[in-house]
Amino acid sequence: YTKKYGKNNYTVYSRELDTNTAYKLSIERDLKTAIHQEQFTLHYQPIKSIKTGELSAMEALIRWNHPVHGLIPPDHFIPVSEESGQIVSIGKWVLRESCKQNKLWQDLGHRPFKIAVNISTIQLKHQNFVFIVKEILNETGLDPKWLELEVTESILMEDNEILKGVLIELKDIGVSISIDDFGTGYTSLSYLRQFSFDRVKIDRSFIKDISHDLNGKAITSTIISLAHKLKMGVIAEGIEDEIQLAFLKEEDCDEGQGYYFSRPLPAEMHKIP
Ligand code: C2E
Ligand code: MG
Ligand code: MG
Ligand code: MG
């Protein structure tokens, strides 16, 4: 493979390889042993209250420490694992590790905060998903109120009663649900009425636009007021500078996440107050 080294020591493959079947097959093959050989690792990124600056959650983000290719970002293997179905076991590992880590932080005496875990629609559709969540909460001893599942906007487009039922069952357990990357999909706003999500995460492309473009501001403040009217909290993703933060504060955005606060880091590298 030809490869370039990007920021964060990631191995960045060229676009052509990304869509290349041989590449996908090799990823799929290597993924088979990745869990057993403990090649996955989680980095955690803080989500903070914009008003108080207090830590409200940590988002768990998976990385793959590939024996040959080095650290591979999720965008390079999560889609492949979704196609192959491997996301089900990878996702279960992520959920268990994240809950375990959050319980550990609590046991170390930190003021409790949520752990936010990305969940693929494939996982939600898997018949045992709710059972798996309950089992992991039991096993790790984490109180469900400290777990938030991030689902993608695409879930709203699926007119799927079963999926809606799963979300309701999850809320009944006491787990909270947020919509990730909000604004990037083809969702009609009316879909938001179908289910009461706890939080909306504004996609970082809009936050990026705040600094140099008026439309970013307009879209961001519209999403914030819509979410608030629907009684949902709002998290801004990808905050990188003070200008963006000041605007979000002005617009009453509840929480924020981004390099301005911290990059995603291994658990032990976080200095938690
Ligand atoms: P996401 O859930 O929207 O996660 C946020 C992404 O934005 C992360 O990329 C994070 O590193 C990046 N980010 C955070 N702050 C900033 C910032 O200020 N500037 C910029 N430029 N980027 C920022 P990452 O870790 O590469 O993850 C990419 C995506 O992969 C995630 O997007 C999520 O959709 C998916 N993913 C990650 N871990 C998992 C997982 O365990 N399961 C599933 N199903 N998907 C995952
Ligand atoms: Mg996310
Ligand atoms: Mg996101
Ligand atoms: Mg995103």
Side-chain angles (χ1 to χ4, degrees):
Y1 294 110
T2 49
K3 53 188 177 182
K4 303 173 206 152
Y5 293 92
K7 283 178 189 166
N8 302 324
N9 296 324
Y10 276 154
T11 308
V12 181
Y13 295 89
S14 65
R15 279 251 169 258
E16 302 87 285
L17 270 177
D18 234 340
T19 48
N20 179 297
T21 312
Y23 170 76
K24 277 192 188 168
L25 285 173
S26 81
I27 289 282
E28 200 181 313
R29 182 197 62 216
D30 294 352
L31 278 174
K32 283 183 189 145
T33 50
I35 290 191
H36 305 290
Q37 301 192 351
E38 295 177 41
Q39 291 168 4
F40 293 122
T41 180
L42 294 178
H43 284 187
Y44 298 88
Q45 188 178 33
I47 298 174
K48 293 188 170 184
S49 155
I50 288 190
K51 273 185 210 94
T52 66
E54 257 180 39
L55 182 66
S56 55
M58 286 277 198
E59 178 174 4
L61 296 156
I62 196 171
R63 275 94 183 86
W64 181 10
N65 206 342
H66 191 285
V68 177
H69 306 307
L71 213 56
I72 306 182
D75 292 337
H76 289 247
F77 65 91
I78 292 292
V80 178
S81 77
E82 287 176 331
E83 269 180 52
S84 66
Q86 289 162 312
I87 187 66
V88 173
S89 48
I90 296 172
K92 191 171 172 180
W93 178 86
V94 171
L95 195 60
R96 182 178 290 117
E97 281 303 303
S98 310
C99 291
K100 223 192 269 177
Q101 182 59 53
N102 202 22
K103 185 63 168 61
L104 182 65
W105 274 320
Q106 294 181 3
D107 289 348
L108 287 171
H110 298 299
R111 195 181 44 77
F113 46 83
K114 287 185 180 187
I115 185 79
V117 182
N118 293 285
I119 304 293
S120 151
T121 307
I122 312 280
Q123 287 174 270
L124 282 176
K125 283 181 176 166
H126 193 262
Q127 48 175 355
N128 276 334
F129 186 68
V130 178
F131 176 80
I132 289 168
V133 173
K134 282 188 196 165
E135 192 181 56
I136 290 175
L137 287 168
N138 264 326
E139 188 186 306
T140 57
L142 184 71
D143 187 318
K145 73 175 175 199
W146 302 118
L147 174 62
E148 178 146 294
L149 303 178
E150 297 191 0
V151 302
T152 56
E153 203 182 11
S154 65
I155 197 176
L156 298 172
M157 289 162 64
E158 304 207 17
D159 190 17
N160 185 332
E161 287 305 315
I162 298 171
L163 221 44
K164 239 181 275 170
V166 170
L167 293 179
I168 291 169
E169 274 186 77
L170 289 166
K171 288 204 74 170
D172 285 346
I173 305 176
V175 165
S176 50
I177 317 269
S178 63
I179 311 180
D180 209 347
D181 303 332
F182 189 77
T184 52
Y186 300 95
T187 313
S188 151
L189 292 179
S190 69
Y191 284 103
L192 279 177
R193 293 178 305 187
Q194 295 182 20
F195 183 78
S196 70
F197 293 92
D198 298 278
R199 255 170 291 279
V200 166
K201 297 188 79 171
I202 306 175
D203 191 70
R204 73 162 186 266
S205 56
F206 303 118
I207 308 307
K208 196 173 170 189
D209 284 349
I210 288 174
S211 329
H212 36 250
D213 154 49
L214 284 171
N215 291 333
K217 287 186 176 172
I219 293 168
T220 300
S221 58
T222 303
I223 297 175
I224 295 170
S225 57
L226 172 80
H228 282 164
K229 278 175 189 145
L230 295 173
K231 310 249 183 307
M232 299 188 281
V234 189
I235 304 173
E237 289 188 333
I239 303 174
E240 293 188 358
D241 60 48
E242 228 148 322
I243 299 165
Q244 295 162 345
L245 183 62
F247 176 76
L248 291 162
K249 201 169 193 169
E250 188 102 329
E251 297 297 313
D252 251 348
C253 184
D254 306 287
E255 288 158 84
Q257 174 181 10
Y259 297 167
Y260 180 77
F261 298 119
S262 167
R263 285 182 179 259
L265 296 169
E268 58 278 9
M269 284 178 68
H270 281 289
K271 288 184 197 74
I272 303 168

